[in-house]
Amino acid sequence: MSKQIFGISCVNVGVGPGGTTSMLARIAIVDYQGQVILDTYVQPTMRVTEYRTSTTGIEAAHLSSKNAMTFNAVQQYVASIIKGHVLVGHSIWNDLSVLGIPHPAVDTRDVALYQPFRNTLRSPNHIVGLQTLSWQLMRRRCQEGLLNPLENARAAMDLYRTHAQGWEDVISKGNWPCALPPSTFSRCYL
């Protein structure tokens, strides 16, 4: 079976004192063509102390609606979708961290870490935001209003697709064309 390629993006709310700890609130997964596999709000597992509504648009009603999935259901479903497949996204370590799902590093394609993108934008040692990558490399606007994980998953997938052949060629030769994610997130990778 050949590996499928899925794009992922999560939007989080804050929990704990000051709402500084992230908790999954909405997730989107798309296929290689950008078709929706999953787009759902997630019921909170702890008391939300900061909805981050000004950037997320998320309010209590979204997370308590009958359409919001439980965290456990989302975690199990996502794990079953991505297992054995390639995961594309921007700063994937944040998504894997809030999901509590590790994924093989060799099966990730993180546009935030892809060295050719960083070099093109003359930021070889810095993580470049998805909004900047999308505009500078594809002349496509994203994240102009509220954070939308579906838009972000599609933008990351489209960025990957613009360089997929070269990216995969480098990997097939035993090289890795990406910088490493922050070491504090090493638990997110197998």
Side-chain angles (χ1 to χ4, degrees):
M1 178 181 91
S2 66
K3 292 184 179 187
Q4 294 184 55
I5 301 173
F6 295 107
I8 189 170
S9 181
C10 297
V11 173
N12 306 313
V13 292
V15 298
T20 57
T21 301
S22 292
M23 181 176 66
L24 182 62
R26 186 176 171 198
I27 181 171
I29 296 178
V30 298
D31 67 12
Y32 188 77
Q33 300 301 325
Q35 298 299 308
V36 177
I37 302 298
L38 176 67
D39 183 11
T40 188
Y41 288 100
V42 182
Q43 296 170 9
T45 56
M46 299 174 65
R47 187 175 74 82
V48 177
T49 54
E50 175 58 65
Y51 283 91
R52 305 172 181 171
T53 305
S54 63
T55 56
T56 66
I58 294 174
E59 298 176 351
H62 292 114
L63 306 184
S64 63
S65 88
K66 63 180 171 119
N67 295 326
M69 293 175 66
T70 67
F71 175 79
N72 286 342
V74 168
Q75 187 183 48
Q76 290 174 10
Y77 184 59
V78 171
S80 72
I81 291 171
I82 67 173
K83 184 176 183 172
H85 300 293
V86 173
L87 195 57
V88 173
H90 182 274
S91 301
I92 294 173
W93 62 87
N94 289 319
D95 301 327
L96 295 173
S97 180
V98 296
L99 282 162
I101 301 172
H103 196 68
V106 298
D107 286 339
T108 61
R109 305 294 184 268
D110 197 322
V111 298
L113 300 175
Y114 187 53
Q115 208 60 55
F117 289 164
R118 295 167 89 168
N119 293 344
T120 298
L121 299 179
R122 295 189 171 100
S123 295
N125 301 313
H126 297 95
I127 294 169
V128 180
L130 183 60
Q131 185 177 35
T132 300
L133 287 169
S134 293
W135 177 250
Q136 294 295 324
L137 301 175
M138 299 188 304
R139 290 295 184 243
R140 173 173 161 183
R141 297 189 186 283
C142 79
Q143 296 183 341
E144 290 201 302
L146 300 172
L147 291 176
N148 181 325
L150 186 56
E151 175 186 40
N152 292 351
R154 285 176 171 155
M157 182 62 79
D158 289 346
L159 280 163
Y160 167 75
R161 287 181 11 197
T162 67
H163 278 238
Q165 187 66 51
W167 200 324
E168 298 306 323
D169 286 348
V170 169
I171 292 171
S172 71
K173 292 175 183 158
N175 296 312
W176 191 246
C178 297
L180 295 175
S183 61
T184 52
F185 290 92
S186 61
R187 71 188 181 286
C188 297
Y189 300 94
L190 300 172

